[in-house]
Amino acid sequence: MGLIAEFQIYCDALPLVSVAETVPEASIAFSLQYNHGRRPLFIVTVTGGSKQAVERALTNAYDVQEWTRIGTAGDTRRYQAVPALSFEEQLGDQIDDLDGLEALATADAIIERITVTADGWEQMGWFADRAAFTEFASFWQRNAGFELERLTRDSEPKQPGNGLTDRQLEALRTAYERGYFEIPRRTSLDAVAQELNISASSLSERLRRAQTQLIQETVATLWPPLPE
């Protein structure tokens, strides 16, 4: 029986972390397109944030050679970027075991979602068994930082909002219960952040990521494909 895991990898050498750090108000989803030679293209979906600020950050990113905006749907933009660095150049200064990282590509696992953060990647993946997950988690614990958010069996029924991390769910619930989403609001962002013992900026980012995930689970499935 397989496992579904949600986790945070703390490694600022991962692709596009500098972009997320520069534009913290944006939610950045990341994937790779492998049919373009030795350096797969970066496929980047950005929700929120200033378009000008995001595109300026992409232009200034040390790991992006060039980028193209592929399409726009409301507050979401999709980009295709050519990496400026090889695999070794991107991660070699921070990760000693590059062979071990390459070996993870052949593990019995599928990484379904990557969200770029200011200090690494948030990921959700499917793992064939406990051994496959342990191999993956152990590598990142040895070479960077790894924090498990949720681990469930793939046979468990998926409830609405199942894609939210525990911290995102806690932030949404607390903000909702304190009246942050009411009109007019009964509380402030600072007050909710103080209750959660985090900064207001961290709470704002957590709420945006949670809202983006809920949209992806519901409304986004009804959108037509973006134009090429």
Side-chain angles (χ1 to χ4, degrees), residues 63-134:
D63 49 2
V64 173
Q65 179 176 312
E66 59 184 11
W67 57 267
T68 303
R69 190 183 334 121
I70 301 300
T72 301
D75 198 27
T76 297
R77 286 89 63 192
R78 290 184 179 176
Y79 300 90
Q80 180 176 278
V82 178
L85 305 173
S86 67
F87 180 78
E88 292 79 8
E89 291 168 336
Q90 179 85 46
L91 297 171
D93 288 343
Q94 291 206 21
I95 296 178
D96 295 330
D97 186 12
L98 289 177
D99 290 339
L101 182 57
E102 281 199 45
L104 290 184
T106 63
D108 295 329
I110 298 173
I111 302 301
E112 187 168 289
R113 186 181 71 244
I114 300 173
T115 301
V116 185
T117 70
D119 48 14
W121 283 358
E122 290 180 357
Q123 296 188 339
M124 189 277 279
W126 297 64
F127 296 84
D129 50 34
R130 175 71 68 168
F133 172 73
T134 299

Side-chain angles (χ1 to χ4, degrees), residues 32-41 82-83 87:
L32 295 169
Q33 188 171 336
Y34 283 97
N35 59 345
H36 289 267
R38 289 182 56 83
R39 296 187 188 180
L41 295 179
V82 178
F87 180 78

Side-chain angles (χ1 to χ4, degrees), residues 39-61:
R39 296 187 188 180
L41 295 179
F42 298 162
I43 305 300
V44 188
T45 302
V46 181
T47 302
S50 159
K51 177 173 72 71
Q52 292 77 14
V54 169
E55 295 183 354
R56 185 165 55 249
L58 286 170
T59 299
N60 294 333

